Amino acid sequence: MPAAESYLKPDVIRQIARLDLRAEFIVKGFLQGLHASPFHGFSVEFSEHRKYTQGDDPKDIDWLAYAKTDRYYVKKFEAETNITGYLAMDLSGSMAYAGEGASGSDSITKFDYAICLAAALAYLMVHQQDPVGLVAFGQKIEQSLPPKSRRSQVGTLLSLLAGLKPQGETDVAASLTQLAAMLRHASLVMVFSDLLTDEEPVLRSLQRLRHGGHDVILFHLLDKAEVEFPFHGLVELEEPETGQRVELDADGYRADYHEAVAAFRERYREECFKSGVDYVPLDTSMPFDRALTEYLLQRRRRA
């Protein structure tokens, strides 16, 4: 059996059929990696603490934490501690795309990558007793699961994730606006999408979530082939949601394509930074720990 950290690699995860095992192995490898990182101990030891600030009652200082860290922390009340999280999954047909892997076989699809990452985040959140729920959207929100923190929520959520199928067109902006209207309390919204749609409406919907007091992590997921464009000669490309086809000279088009993808990602990076949205560009060849670390960074900022 491979070492635990190898389960952070998408090509290894692809060989595991059950989503619950995929999620467990990803989290196991991630937590083992934390032991050698600056995050060691943070997610467990200080998930129920925050830094002492002026105005806090000194009687609430945790002196054991001070002895370990030489810093003042106060114990959080439960209402302060819990982050309510929502996993927002894009069901567009384009998420089913998988380019050719290194061995010549298809790599993990963008959607499979997204649900593995979402499943691992659900494990982490429930481990920290944070309520987590799910929305899955195409043209609108098609399925939803209210957030809960009990351990049984993981099984329910994974079962729903495993049954989702990406197909047809999507309206990311309308779905996120619908989600914003559903949320009654400040939440952490984790969006998983390739964002292959008009940018302006999506950016406005992300701003609307932020203006509603919600924290947002945008996991922008592309296939490795969509980033690198490893094609040669005359190729026919098909738009998966509309079926529209175009024939082009891949070698002559490559430089323009790379420039367009870089500009696409840079636009989201800049606009998300302005809005206070955490933008995480990923491709299907990247180990899962990069995305999971972004979750811990978000949690640290909230603490």
Side-chain angles (χ1 to χ4, degrees):
M1 179 175 290
E5 59 269 19
S6 71
Y7 288 117
L8 292 165
K9 298 178 181 178
D11 285 346
V12 176
I13 284 295
R14 180 174 169 269
Q15 301 170 30
I16 303 170
R18 285 172 45 185
L19 182 57
D20 59 337
L21 293 179
R22 289 183 175 192
E24 287 178 13
F25 290 143
I26 290 170
V27 170
K28 181 180 179 181
F30 176 63
L31 293 178
Q32 282 198 2
L34 286 185
H35 288 288
S37 81
F39 291 98
H40 175 50
F42 167 75
S43 62
V44 177
E45 189 171 341
F46 293 112
S47 64
E48 295 183 355
H49 292 75
R50 62 172 168 78
K51 289 182 179 179
Y52 175 85
T53 57
Q54 189 172 1
D56 286 330
D57 190 335
K59 287 187 285 188
D60 291 332
I61 292 174
D62 188 326
W63 295 105
L64 286 176
Y66 173 78
K68 292 181 180 180
T69 65
D70 202 30
R71 295 179 182 178
Y72 295 110
Y73 287 89
V74 296
K75 186 79 171 177
K76 284 185 174 184
F77 297 105
E78 187 164 346
E80 291 182 279
T81 304
N82 290 340
I83 301 172
T84 298
Y86 284 86
L87 306 166
M89 310 296 299
D90 181 355
L91 296 178
S92 61
S94 61
M95 290 288 285
Y97 176 72
E100 190 174 279
S103 64
S105 61
D106 285 346
S107 63
I108 190 171
T109 69
K110 290 182 284 185
F111 191 72
D112 279 344
Y113 188 105
I115 63 171
C116 288
L117 177 54
L121 284 166
Y123 264 97
L124 280 178
M125 294 197 73
V126 169
H127 173 72
Q128 298 180 64
Q129 299 182 324
D130 291 327
V132 59
L134 172 73
V135 294
F137 61 87
Q139 296 277 21
K140 60 181 181 180
I141 292 176
E142 297 180 5
Q143 296 194 53
S144 63
L145 179 70
K148 294 179 182 177
S149 58
R150 64 182 61 147
R151 290 192 178 276
S152 61
Q153 178 77 346
V154 174
T156 305
L157 195 149
L158 265 57
S159 177
L160 202 161
L161 278 175
L164 295 175
K165 301 295 180 188
Q167 58 187 357
E169 298 184 24
T170 190
D171 190 331
V172 179
S175 299
L176 293 183
T177 299
Q178 184 183 356
L179 175 58
M182 288 169 50
L183 301 180
R184 294 290 175 261
H185 305 286
S187 302
L188 172 61
V189 179
M190 293 158 281
V191 182
F192 305 82
S193 176
D194 55 15
L195 300 175
L196 298 182
T197 186
D198 293 339
E199 297 168 27
E200 291 299 332
V202 176
L203 290 168
R204 286 197 297 270
S205 66
L206 292 168
Q207 290 167 1
R208 187 172 289 110
L209 278 166
R210 288 293 294 133
H211 291 160
H214 309 292
D215 289 300
V216 182
I217 305 179
L218 177 59
F219 294 109
H220 186 189
L221 181 57
L222 297 175
D223 187 84
K224 183 181 180 182
E226 291 175 323
V227 176
E228 297 182 355
F229 201 71
F231 309 108
H232 298 279
L234 200 62
V235 296
E236 184 179 68
L237 304 178
E238 180 178 335
E239 208 289 320
E241 296 182 22
T242 65
Q244 183 178 354
R245 298 187 177 191
V246 61
E247 193 174 81
L248 52 82
D249 173 17
D251 297 292
Y253 183 63
R254 182 171 292 102
D256 289 340
Y257 180 87
H258 284 160
E259 184 177 338
V261 170
F264 175 43
R265 284 177 150 181
E266 182 61 17
R267 175 81 198 288
Y268 268 103
R269 189 195 68 77
E270 289 180 354
E271 295 301 321
C272 286
F273 178 78
K274 292 176 186 177
S275 301
V277 171
D278 286 304
Y279 175 66
V280 188
L282 299 168
D283 72 56
T284 53
S285 70
M286 290 182 176
F288 291 99
D289 55 344
R290 176 177 177 183
L292 297 178
T293 299
E294 289 296 325
Y295 162 74
L296 279 193
L297 282 169
Q298 177 69 274
R299 188 177 176 96
R300 170 174 277 182
R301 283 193 287 271
R302 289 173 62 104

